[in-house]
Amino acid sequence: MRTTKTSQKLTLFPEEKDVPVLDDEDVFDDSTYNQIGQLSSGTARKDAQRMSKLDRKQLPRVIAYCTASSYRMDDLFNYLQSRKMSNIAAPKRFDECIYTPFSYSTTSKPPTTADLLGLDEADTNESRRLELQRIKETTPELFFFDYGVVVIWGMSEQEESRLLHEISRFEEEKLDEEDVETEEFSYHYNAEYQPKIYNDVITLKSPGNYMVKLTISHAIAQSVKMTLFEGLIENTINATKHIPQTMAETGKVPMSRTQITKKIGQLFIMRINVNLVSNILDTPEIFWSEPSLQPLYSAIRGYLEISQRVELLNQRTSVISDLLDMLKEHLNSSHGEQLEWIVIILIFFEIVIGVVTICMDAFSFNRGGGEHLKY
């Protein structure tokens, strides 16, 4: 699990030309992961400090759900296209991701008399601009990833539940409800200063650029998928840690041959899954074709501590691999011992049969010699 869930950390997104340059001489306290000191004094710093005390329920949220092993992306894309009129969906495909706006509360404002007659054009244009801005800020946006993760921007919890129910038909290897993993953040817009993420609150300049949200969603989706495998690794280690402990105390594995074979199969499947998630955590292909988005992706990926968590995941996987090798060795040695005992028993029976045969021959010889002497 990432430490930024429980500690306050600020990550500044790549700054734009109109953003003031940060003062490198400001204080930086890396012991508490607090980077507020890197912000120049003024509105930006005050806002970052305020975010730590802000009631996040007042802000819209972005949340990632890992609900399945994968989605049937072609079928899902067709479904979203069919919802253009009812939910203003406009799906776009980006390699392993589908993006679309999606709203359950579509309200179109009818034209006013001024609109129809062309009166007060300046006021009308301004009201249209404000209305368009409001719609952009309040319309939820969805990002579906082919490895079974959906990232939702701006929906209520009730709408999220409704959406998850609707897309369940496109899931492959659906997870049980208790196994579904989530990553939750809050977000808001402020055009005055540099975008950032602090204490799981994301600040963006404007709602218009969905590519920025796509970049952030990529990292969040990878993080929640990794959380799933971190839990599986943790459960596997807890379920098998008694095996080496019992071997150390008794010198034996308290499992039958069938149980050992099943456990080897489970551990091997776990290794395959970890290799799978390692492929998922590679840099998405879109950032090779859109290199300008790479710095933002790297920044949010650093905030989510994905590289450190991958390293820890690999270390825990090596523990499972060692246990797997130990069980295989025990199984092979146990099988070898069984073969040795079979050979010993066969030799014993062969000796017994040989002795009995010799005794019977000797008895027959002695009996035959005695009868010959009578005659």
Side-chain angles (χ1 to χ4, degrees), residues 317-332:
T317 304
S318 66
V319 173
I320 291 179
S321 297
D322 292 341
L323 179 59
L324 178 60
D325 293 338
M326 182 182 68
L327 289 176
K328 285 181 178 178
E329 184 178 350
H330 175 79
L331 195 60
N332 292 334

Side-chain angles (χ1 to χ4, degrees), residues 52-167:
S52 63
K53 303 176 182 178
L54 186 66
D55 183 4
R56 293 177 56 182
K57 293 182 180 179
Q58 299 176 1
L59 296 177
R61 70 176 187 169
V62 50
I63 185 168
Y65 289 94
C66 180
T67 63
S69 176
S70 62
Y71 291 135
R72 298 195 305 276
M73 299 296 277
D74 292 337
D75 294 339
L76 178 58
F77 187 84
N78 293 334
Y79 166 76
L80 293 173
Q81 281 188 319
S82 69
R83 306 301 292 269
K84 286 184 177 180
M85 298 299 296
S86 58
N87 300 102
I88 62 171
K92 295 180 175 63
R93 188 75 178 263
F94 298 94
D95 298 322
E96 69 269 33
C97 177
I98 295 175
Y99 158 77
T100 183
F102 196 93
S103 177
Y104 286 111
S105 56
T106 56
T107 56
S108 58
K109 185 179 179 181
T112 63
T113 303
D115 293 332
L116 297 175
L117 298 179
L119 302 176
D120 298 326
E121 185 174 352
D123 293 340
T124 301
N125 290 339
E126 178 64 18
S127 64
R128 285 177 177 174
R129 186 189 67 80
L130 294 176
E131 178 68 11
L132 181 61
Q133 179 74 10
R134 184 193 67 80
I135 292 175
K136 285 183 178 180
E137 291 188 4
T138 57
T139 300
E141 294 172 283
L142 310 178
F143 297 87
F144 297 93
F145 295 89
D146 60 2
Y147 45 83
V149 175
V150 55
V151 181
I152 304 172
W153 292 71
M155 279 190 175
S156 65
E157 293 187 31
Q158 293 78 9
E159 291 173 330
E160 290 168 4
S161 299
R162 180 178 174 182
L163 175 70
L164 294 177
H165 176 72
E166 290 182 2
I167 66 172

Side-chain angles (χ1 to χ4, degrees), residues 66 68-69 147-149 221-229 277 280:
C66 180
S69 176
Y147 45 83
V149 175
Q222 290 176 331
S223 177
V224 73
K225 192 70 175 182
M226 185 184 298
T227 302
L228 173 67
F229 284 98
V277 76
I280 292 172

Side-chain angles (χ1 to χ4, degrees), residues 107-266:
T107 56
S108 58
K109 185 179 179 181
T112 63
T113 303
D115 293 332
L116 297 175
L117 298 179
L119 302 176
D120 298 326
E121 185 174 352
D123 293 340
T124 301
N125 290 339
E126 178 64 18
S127 64
R128 285 177 177 174
R129 186 189 67 80
L130 294 176
E131 178 68 11
L132 181 61
Q133 179 74 10
R134 184 193 67 80
I135 292 175
K136 285 183 178 180
E137 291 188 4
T138 57
T139 300
E141 294 172 283
L142 310 178
F143 297 87
F144 297 93
F145 295 89
D146 60 2
Y147 45 83
V149 175
V150 55
V151 181
I152 304 172
W153 292 71
M155 279 190 175
S156 65
E157 293 187 31
Q158 293 78 9
E159 291 173 330
E160 290 168 4
S161 299
R162 180 178 174 182
L163 175 70
L164 294 177
H165 176 72
E166 290 182 2
I167 66 172
S168 61
R169 72 187 80 168
F170 307 109
E171 296 173 342
E172 297 285 352
E173 299 180 25
K174 179 179 176 64
L175 297 176
D176 295 333
E177 186 174 352
E178 61 271 15
D179 294 330
V180 172
E181 293 289 347
T182 62
E183 283 270 15
E184 181 180 349
F185 302 82
S186 299
Y187 71 98
H188 70 123
Y189 301 103
N190 192 315
E192 296 181 0
Y193 50 84
Q194 187 169 354
K196 60 184 176 293
I197 179 170
Y198 176 67
N199 197 23
D200 285 1
V201 177
I202 301 171
T203 303
L204 300 176
K205 294 182 72 70
S206 67
N209 190 354
Y210 62 81
M211 293 301 290
V212 171
K213 292 181 179 178
L214 171 64
T215 303
I216 296 173
S217 297
H218 261 293
I220 294 176
Q222 290 176 331
S223 177
V224 73
K225 192 70 175 182
M226 185 184 298
T227 302
L228 173 67
F229 284 98
E230 286 172 339
L232 291 176
I233 289 287
E234 185 77 22
N235 294 337
T236 301
I237 291 177
N238 290 335
T240 56
K241 65 182 180 181
H242 71 281
I243 297 176
Q245 183 176 357
T246 304
M247 288 184 67
E249 295 175 352
T250 65
K252 299 179 181 179
V253 177
M255 302 168 68
S256 66
R257 183 180 179 84
T258 302
Q259 290 175 327
I260 293 176
T261 304
K262 287 183 178 180
K263 186 60 67 176
I264 289 175
Q266 294 170 3

Side-chain angles (χ1 to χ4, degrees), residues 10 12 21-24 26-28 34-40 45:
L10 170 70
L12 302 175
V21 178
L22 299 178
D23 186 359
D24 293 334
D26 284 337
V27 179
F28 171 56
N34 186 353
Q35 300 178 1
I36 292 181
Q38 286 189 314
L39 293 174
S40 55
R45 178 181 292 186

Side-chain angles (χ1 to χ4, degrees), residues 306-325:
I306 289 180
S307 298
Q308 297 94 315
R309 291 162 65 192
V310 168
E311 183 178 354
L312 180 59
L313 192 65
N314 289 333
Q315 290 176 358
R316 293 190 170 188
T317 304
S318 66
V319 173
I320 291 179
S321 297
D322 292 341
L323 179 59
L324 178 60
D325 293 338

